[in-house]
Every structure is written in C-alpha cells, then in structure tokens.
Amino acid sequence: DGDLMQVWNRHSQAVSGTAGYARNEVHIHELDSKWFPAIRDELASRGLPPIPEKLFQAIKDYATGGPVLGGINPNVKRMMQFANLVYLNPLALTQAGEVGGAIAMVHVDNFMHSLPSSFDAVFKNKLHPIHEDLQHLNSSIIGEHNLFHPHLALQETRIKTGMQSELASGVVNLLATGSRVQGYVSGFYKVLQLENNVVHSSFLHKLAKAFKADADGDPVLMLNELRKRDSGWNPQLEQRIGKYFIDGTVTYTKRGFVENLNADRWDPLDVQEFGTIVNRQVAQAIQKDFAGESYYWAHETTGAFMTHLRKYPLIAFNKMLIRNLKVADAEAGMVFLYGLLTGAAAYAARQAV
C-alpha cells in the first residue's frame, strides 16, 4: 500500500472512530452483535419508528474508515469513470470559471499580489515563505494530486470490490490510470493547485488587513460579523490570533501584504485552529465540500449515479449562492458579478475548444 497519505487518513479515521466508541464503553466489533440490536429493541419498546439499516451501516463505515454505505456498486462506478474520461477533458476551463467568485471573496488587490508567487510555486517549484507555512495548514498548496493517488485503486483493493477477476481488475486500473492522465493532460491538476495556492495566500492578506484595521478602528476593512461566525471565529480566538498579526510576529512587505507568518513562533493550538478557519474559508471560495456538507445518500450507488456530473453545481449552489444570500452584503454582490464574468469567459472558451 504505497500511498502513505491515503493510508494515514484512513488509519486516523479508524482510530478516532474506535476511540470515540471506546470512550462510551462500546467495542467497535460489538456494533452488529450487541449495540445495533439493542438500539432496535429500545426503539421498538418505545413505539418509535425503526432506523433504516443503511444508516446503521453508514455509522459503522464512518467509524472504521471504510467507504460510506459500503461504497458504490463496482459496475456503476466503472460506468461513471468512463463518462468522466469522455466528458471532462475541458475540466481545467470549468475549474477556472469559478475564479471570479474567489476573487470577490479575497478582494482583487490581494489576489493580484498573490498570483505571481503562486505561479512560481506551482509551475517553478519555488515556494514563497508564506507557502512554507501554508503547506502545513493545507496540503492543497503543494497539489493534492501529489499526495493522493486514486489511480492505485487502494480502496477497491481493500474492500475487494470490482477485483473479482483479473479482467475486472485490469478494467479498474485502466480507467483509474486514464483519469490520472486526464488530470495532467487537461491541465486540471495544475489549475486546481494554482487556485488553492493563490486563494490561500489571498485570504491571509485579507485577514491581516482586517486585523490591522480592527486595531486601528478602520470600519471599511473589518470583516463582516456573520461571515466571521460562519467561518468559525469567536471573540476569544480572534483576540489570540489577532495579536500575531499586530505584535510583530507576522512580518509584512512595504505595501502591507503578509511576507511571512513565522508560524514556528505561534502557539501550536492557535496554528491548528487558524488553519481550520482558513481552510473553511478557502473551501467556500473554491467550492470544496467538507464532511457533513453533502448527504450520505449521495455516496451510495443510486445517489452517486443520480448526482454524477451534477455534484459540482449542487455544491456551488449551497456554498456560494445560499451562504452569500444569507449574508447579503456588498461582498456577496461582487461574488455574483465576478462569478458571472469569469463563468461566461470559461464557457465561451470551452465552446471554442
């Protein structure tokens, strides 16, 4: 199992799930034989409706690091992978179409300042000091395609789905490898890495200006309170993090942009909490869903098939449209305007290609 990052993620999820049950004196291997039957009996004795069997399976899968609901039917999954190879060649242009919303959320000046150094980091492998700290907050900075290798079909091998014969195994590996090659040839991997890189950097510049404005009492640059709460800020955390940006720990360029976080001088807990908030904000800007932001039925065979090639707009509808309508500030208006501009440009480019 050569994909260390994938192994570690799965292992940490299984360990944390097992520990969570153990804390409540539940042994993970007794779920099917003891605890699930006890839950069914308790519900029946109270006259309450039963819990669907799929939900029990989802609970167990999540706690043990396995695929949700046992994974997608292997034959359906192969059909979906084949459709991806046919339809997703212009994927880089589609990904670029969402940049407008991200620019509006991080502000144009921050985006334009971050773009050259992010370009060097992605295409010349020359990391700016700000990226040295960022890559420990989110691996997307150095490219998820460099860390995760789904073309190795590790999950399928582990749960033995789609590997019942040498022919089936060959088809799985061929489709997965084709998807990997498509990511490089279409430019999707590099565009996604560049977008993650520049948006992460831009958010840091935006937050730094907001902290300095807060200290100076400048209401123009201060962050919207509703947006802060949505991202996970609270007054205590804001005070702890803000001191690093105004006491000299974080260094700045002559134009007021962040030059170096100097995260090695931060409290480790503050680094972790700050990274979580930045990742949450970036995930909204680039429309990446976290655990709990999509329905579990979308990960089973029927739901996955019905939402195939539609999941991206569904996530965008939730993370960009609904959340910005909830805030309804000037930034939300700019998100729609900039998003329309870059979306139209990307669509026109796709039609031309």
Side-chain angles (χ1 to χ4, degrees):
D1 205 346
D3 192 338
L4 184 60
M5 199 70 181
Q6 192 87 309
V7 172
W8 176 250
N9 283 344
R10 189 167 61 236
H11 174 71
S12 60
Q13 182 174 339
V15 169
S16 61
T18 303
Y21 281 112
R23 191 184 317 143
N24 294 281
E25 300 181 358
V26 176
H27 196 290
I28 196 75
H29 296 297
E30 295 179 341
L31 287 177
D32 288 319
S33 62
K34 179 180 179 180
W35 295 100
F36 289 165
I39 293 174
R40 296 187 188 99
D41 293 342
E42 180 71 15
L43 291 174
S45 66
R46 297 187 181 191
L48 298 174
I51 294 177
E53 290 299 316
K54 287 185 176 181
L55 182 56
F56 282 116
Q57 183 63 44
I59 293 171
K60 182 179 178 180
D61 290 337
Y62 187 80
T64 56
V68 177
L69 298 171
I72 303 172
N73 179 283
N75 295 319
V76 174
K77 187 171 184 178
R78 284 194 282 267
M79 292 171 56
M80 293 164 59
Q81 289 175 322
F82 182 76
N84 289 345
L85 292 177
V86 174
Y87 291 109
L88 297 186
N89 289 318
L91 194 57
L93 289 174
T94 304
Q95 186 70 27
E98 72 176 14
V99 172
I103 293 175
M105 294 184 69
V106 300
H107 300 170
V108 178
D109 56 337
N110 299 322
F111 186 90
M112 297 307 296
H113 176 81
S114 301
L115 191 57
S117 61
S118 295
F119 188 90
D120 288 342
V122 174
F123 295 100
K124 299 181 181 179
N125 201 28
K126 295 168 59 177
L127 289 181
H128 188 274
I130 196 174
H131 300 135
E132 295 285 355
D133 291 325
L134 280 173
Q135 66 178 333
H136 300 297
L137 301 180
N138 192 316
S139 60
S140 301
I141 292 296
I142 56 177
E144 293 180 353
H145 61 284
N146 293 320
L147 299 174
F148 301 97
H149 300 277
H151 64 292
L152 297 180
L154 301 179
Q155 190 77 296
E156 289 83 351
T157 302
R158 175 174 175 258
I159 61 177
K160 296 181 173 55
T161 59
M163 299 293 190
Q164 297 89 345
S165 67
E166 186 174 348
L167 176 60
S169 177
V171 172
V172 168
N173 291 327
L174 178 63
L175 290 173
T177 303
S179 177
R180 178 78 170 175
V181 172
Q182 184 184 53
Y184 283 109
V185 174
S186 68
F188 171 71
Y189 286 155
K190 287 299 183 181
V191 170
L192 182 61
Q193 183 185 357
L194 177 63
E195 186 177 16
N196 272 282
N197 202 301
V198 69
V199 172
H200 269 88
S201 304
S202 302
F203 259 120
L204 286 188
H205 300 315
K206 176 184 176 180
L207 290 172
K209 292 178 180 179
F211 280 124
K212 294 173 68 177
D214 191 28
D216 297 336
D218 185 351
V220 177
L221 294 176
M222 292 168 63
L223 299 178
N224 181 288
E225 289 296 326
L226 186 56
R227 288 189 182 276
K228 287 197 293 187
R229 290 199 302 272
D230 190 49
S231 299
W233 289 104
N234 60 64
Q236 295 76 21
L237 179 61
E238 191 174 345
Q239 186 175 13
R240 293 206 321 266
I241 300 298
K243 70 178 183 184
Y244 298 116
F245 286 87
I246 58 179
D247 68 359
T249 302
V250 176
T251 56
Y252 297 89
T253 66
K254 293 181 179 179
R255 296 177 56 197
F257 295 100
V258 175
E259 184 176 40
N260 198 332
L261 282 176
N262 295 309
D264 56 323
R265 292 158 56 185
W266 291 38
D267 183 290
L269 180 60
D270 291 340
V271 173
Q272 183 178 355
E273 294 198 49
F274 179 69
T276 300
I277 287 176
V278 171
N279 292 338
R280 188 179 293 121
Q281 291 180 313
V282 171
Q284 181 176 352
I286 65 173
Q287 301 163 32
K288 177 181 179 181
D289 60 332
F290 285 152
E293 291 185 335
S294 60
Y295 295 105
Y296 80 87
W297 63 267
H299 297 272
E300 63 170 342
T301 299
T302 303
F305 183 77
M306 292 178 63
T307 59
H308 185 230
L309 299 180
R310 298 176 178 85
K311 186 178 180 181
Y312 181 83
L314 289 172
I315 295 173
F317 184 84
N318 175 37
K319 305 205 76 163
M320 294 297 281
L321 178 62
I322 295 180
R323 287 191 178 182
N324 278 292
L325 284 176
K326 180 178 69 174
V327 178
D329 58 358
E331 184 175 303
M334 296 304 295
V335 167
F336 293 126
L337 178 61
Y338 280 51
L340 286 174
L341 291 174
T342 57
Y347 177 77
R350 279 193 60 177
Q351 295 302 105
V353 171

